[in-house]
Amino acid sequence: MQFGSFLETVTFISAILTILLILLQQRGATLGSGSASSSEIYTTRRGLEKSMFIATIVCAVIFVLSILGLLLIPS
């Protein structure tokens, strides 16, 4: 397996994982958050939510680095 095809595979897998992780994360904005009854302004991520957030960042960085690697490697 050549390095270019390896980077293409890494790019594809990291793109799919990034999309899935972004879609799986919970939204902080609910229907009632626009009204004055909302008491939470800032929340911290804990547990699975924090793990998914960090995994999303890692997958996005891997995606960007693999694309840069594909641009720099001559075909």
Side-chain angles (χ1 to χ4, degrees):
M1 181 182 239
Q2 293 182 355
F3 192 64
S5 61
F6 172 73
L7 280 179
E8 288 176 0
T9 306
V10 169
T11 303
F12 179 75
I13 292 172
S14 63
I16 297 298
L17 284 175
T18 303
I19 291 169
L20 288 175
L21 285 169
I22 288 172
L23 291 176
L24 286 175
Q25 290 182 18
Q26 293 181 353
R27 293 225 177 232
T30 60
L31 290 176
S33 67
S35 65
S37 65
S38 176
S39 62
E40 287 187 49
I41 295 174
Y42 177 76
T43 59
T44 58
R45 292 180 172 90
R46 295 183 181 175
L48 182 62
E49 185 180 358
K50 184 175 181 178
S51 299
M52 286 178 56
F53 179 72
I54 293 171
T56 304
I57 293 173
V58 169
C59 284
V61 168
I62 291 172
F63 177 72
V64 170
L65 291 177
S66 63
I67 288 179
L68 290 175
L70 284 171
L71 290 174
L72 296 176
I73 293 176
S75 45

